[in-house]
Amino acid sequence: MKNRKAWLAVLGAAVALLLVPPLVSAGGEETGPQIRGLRMMVPNSPGGGYDITARTAVKAIEDAGLNGNIEVFNLPGAGGTVGLGRLVNERGNGKLAMSMGLGVVGSTYTNKSPSSLQDTTAIAKLTEEADIVVVSKDSPYQTIQELVEAWKADPGSVPVGGGSAPGGPDHLAPMLMAQAAGIPPSRVNYIPFDGGGELMASVLGGKVGFGVSGIGETRDQIASGALRALAVTSPQRVPGIDAPTLKESGVDVSFTNWRGVVAPPGLSDSDRDRLIGLFTRLQDTPQWRDALQRNGWTPAFQPGDDFAAFLKSENDRVAAVLKELGLA
């Protein structure tokens, strides 16, 4: 009898375990399927836009209880195409994703990369963000008009730094600015840096006349007074940034950057769906909403096939712009 009671107790415990609802996060939300051992690659240096986006998204995912620990690692080089090559070579690996954006699209052309974003699995577009024109606090340029006048007078003597390789957003934005100001793009002295972290050090050190980068990479230095914001590239002013748009300053340019996540090619349907589902669930978390507001990012979520179609259209657009500027 005792043995029978013990056996029934064990059986009851097993049934109860099977009936336990899915794991919930600290906030009471269902976590969904976990991706154990997930890693996020950043194809530029620490402090750059892809790095900030990746680490911010991963922290929001973990804090919201959507997934366990996610390793973030950097593999910089050649405007993001070194990381892109590694990603494409990881065919079928459903535990690897890469933070990326518009810069990688252009870099595949300017670096003659054997791999392109068309070779990856599109997971999600996450954000859009204005670029910003900044100078150090010691710069002689107090306004965007003063900077443009000096630039027009002698383009080579006013080097511009960007946190992306030629063909990336921080390169395209000043090239379009030059074109609008009547400066031949061939005369622009553009100095590329591997990410916003390296760029900001050069702007602060006076090694370039001005810098063009994402707001997320510059916001803290602007707030501290180390950098002066002269203009934003977006169609409208950016809340929290005391700077006009280029258009209202007489430079007819409207430009925004975007960032997203891709994965290796050849994923199984289940692995692809798990990754898309993870970033879909992220959108409704207070952690991610707070991060968007804090960094001045515009939500621009596009999952899966929609993001793949967007990547194709951006690839065509960037190729046309580079050709027009004589850069491809």
Side-chain angles (χ1 to χ4, degrees):
M1 180 66 71
K2 286 183 179 180
N3 286 342
R4 186 178 177 214
K5 285 182 178 179
W7 182 84
L8 288 172
V10 170
L11 180 62
V15 170
L17 188 62
L18 290 172
L19 294 176
V20 170
L23 288 173
V24 296
S25 69
E29 298 174 356
E30 292 188 4
T31 63
Q34 299 271 319
I35 305 174
R36 296 183 184 276
L38 179 60
R39 306 175 77 210
M40 177 74 79
M41 177 166 51
V42 176
N44 68 357
S45 302
Y50 305 149
D51 185 71
I52 293 172
T53 303
R55 295 181 190 278
T56 301
V58 163
K59 186 176 189 306
I61 287 169
E62 293 175 351
D63 289 352
L66 300 182
N67 207 79
N69 183 60
I70 301 172
E71 178 192 352
V72 180
F73 68 100
N74 297 76
L75 185 63
T81 57
V82 170
L84 176 63
R86 160 76 179 275
L87 188 81
V88 171
N89 286 335
E90 292 275 347
R91 185 177 185 84
N93 184 354
K95 297 181 183 297
L96 179 64
M98 185 178 85
S99 172
M100 46 68 71
L102 178 57
V104 178
V105 179
S107 293
T108 60
Y109 287 101
T110 56
N111 287 285
K112 296 179 170 52
S113 170
S115 301
S116 79
L117 289 167
Q118 312 308 304
D119 299 322
T120 68
T121 298
I123 300 302
K125 176 184 168 190
L126 298 178
T127 65
E128 288 183 352
E129 178 186 28
D131 260 7
I132 189 166
V133 180
V134 293
V135 295
S136 73
K137 64 179 181 180
D138 301 320
S139 169
Y141 311 122
Q142 300 293 321
T143 66
I144 187 66
Q145 289 87 353
E146 290 179 2
L147 169 62
V148 170
E149 285 304 312
W151 198 22
K152 287 170 66 175
D154 189 358
S157 69
V158 187
V160 51
S164 58
D170 298 353
H171 175 245
L172 292 175
M175 287 298 176
L176 293 171
M177 286 172 57
Q179 189 179 55
I183 302 169
S186 61
R187 296 191 62 196
V188 174
N189 182 7
Y190 178 77
I191 301 175
F193 295 89
D194 201 358
E198 292 182 8
L199 168 63
M200 288 305 107
S202 293
V203 175
L204 292 168
K207 295 180 180 178
V208 293
F210 66 103
V212 178
S213 188
I215 290 174
E217 292 102 305
T218 59
R219 187 178 288 272
D220 290 346
Q221 292 95 329
I222 292 170
S224 71
L227 290 178
R228 183 183 306 129
L230 298 187
V232 293
T233 65
S234 51
Q236 293 86 31
R237 290 195 178 206
V238 175
I241 300 292
D242 184 18
T245 67
L246 287 172
K247 277 205 165 189
E248 70 181 276
S249 305
V251 181
D252 190 14
V253 171
S254 180
F255 180 89
T256 53
N257 188 12
W258 56 265
R259 298 193 179 100
V261 178
V262 294
L267 296 192
S268 67
D269 289 346
S270 59
D271 281 346
R272 175 180 177 270
D273 291 346
R274 270 194 289 269
L275 282 167
I276 292 173
L278 176 62
F279 287 95
T280 300
R281 292 192 300 278
L282 173 65
Q283 306 309 303
D284 292 327
T285 65
Q287 291 86 350
W288 182 241
R289 289 195 294 268
D290 289 347
L292 291 171
Q293 184 174 11
R294 186 171 62 250
N295 288 285
W297 295 338
T298 301
F301 183 63
Q302 261 187 330
D305 291 342
D306 288 342
F307 184 39
F310 174 79
L311 286 177
K312 174 64 169 61
S313 67
E314 284 293 271
N315 186 70
D316 295 344
R317 182 176 75 93
V318 168
V321 171
L322 290 175
K323 186 175 181 180
E324 181 184 347
L325 295 174
L327 302 170

